[in-house]
Amino acid sequence: VTHVHVINGSHVLAVFGNCAVQVWELATGTMVSSLPQSWATTGITAVHVAPDSLYSYVFMGGDNGVVYIIKAVPQCEICSYVIVRSDVGLPDDAPETGLADEVSCLELCPDDENLLLIGYEYGGALVWNIKDKKASAVMQRSGTNVKSRADSSASGVGEEEDKGDGASSTAGSDYDYDDVKP
């Protein structure tokens, strides 16, 4: 077991080194759902359980820089919403840059569950807006500390609308990582 988390006080989630995922009911110790090791083609390097989520969403970061979203209860299901490195404008090719591209940590903002902080092994981090499907801030280890993302061209999601007050919003974005792969 490489990661273990309690889900909503009633279940335990375990992620294994081979990427298998299992969920057990705490009260009975019975395994209630699982994903086989074949669900992912990458190693899982970071895990965060959304607190008090109806479906117990779990964010899993891979050694390839991708963030997967899993619905853990009542059944383990892979959601179609994924966050890839090219969506956030971070280096795509670690061998060329010499940077490790794995996701090293994940954390939902306690004040706004639409904001997910993603940290990368090479030292960069970003705030991902789940609803708008784009990075709202990118922090690089070198250079400036914070670079605001005013456009969504990297993610290819939605069109920017200028509200006239200097702020912008993404039109046409659907907040639905509950769309589960068959």
Side-chain angles (χ1 to χ4, degrees):
V1 175
T2 57
H3 302 277
V4 63
H5 293 273
V6 174
I7 302 173
N8 293 340
S10 61
H11 293 80
V12 173
L13 170 107
V15 180
F16 296 84
N18 64 4
C19 297
V21 176
Q22 294 182 348
V23 178
W24 291 278
E25 193 174 86
L26 268 175
T28 63
T30 304
M31 187 176 71
V32 293
S33 65
S34 65
L35 290 174
Q37 68 187 45
S38 61
W39 80 269
T41 58
T42 183
I44 300 301
T45 55
V47 177
H48 179 73
V49 175
D52 302 323
S53 168
L54 176 63
Y55 297 106
S56 304
Y57 288 108
V58 178
F59 298 87
M60 294 189 188
D63 58 13
N64 61 352
V66 174
V67 176
Y68 304 93
I69 302 172
I70 307 295
K71 193 189 294 186
V73 175
Q75 289 286 30
C76 277
E77 299 176 88
I78 305 163
C79 298
S80 62
Y81 187 127
V82 296
I83 304 164
V84 296
R85 293 177 59 81
S86 60
D87 285 346
V88 299
L90 293 175
D92 285 330
D93 196 352
E96 287 183 16
T97 62
L99 303 172
D101 63 350
E102 70 184 41
V103 175
S104 58
C105 55
L106 297 162
E107 187 73 31
L108 280 173
C109 175
D111 297 327
D112 185 349
E113 66 183 29
N114 290 315
L115 301 178
L116 177 68
L117 179 63
I118 306 170
Y120 293 91
E121 184 65 27
Y122 78 89
L126 64 97
V127 177
W128 182 260
N129 186 309
I130 296 168
K131 182 178 179 181
D132 292 341
K133 297 183 180 180
K134 67 178 186 175
S136 57
V138 177
M139 289 73 63
Q140 300 290 351
R141 188 173 185 172
S142 60
T144 59
N145 288 341
V146 178
K147 180 177 94 177
S148 293
R149 302 283 297 192
D151 68 319
S152 63
S153 60
S155 68
V157 177
E159 296 289 328
E160 287 295 314
E161 278 182 349
D162 187 352
K163 295 180 181 176
D165 59 359
S168 61
S169 66
T170 303
S173 293
D174 292 330
Y175 176 49
D176 187 12
Y177 52 78
D178 194 24
D179 183 17
V180 178
K181 288 183 180 178

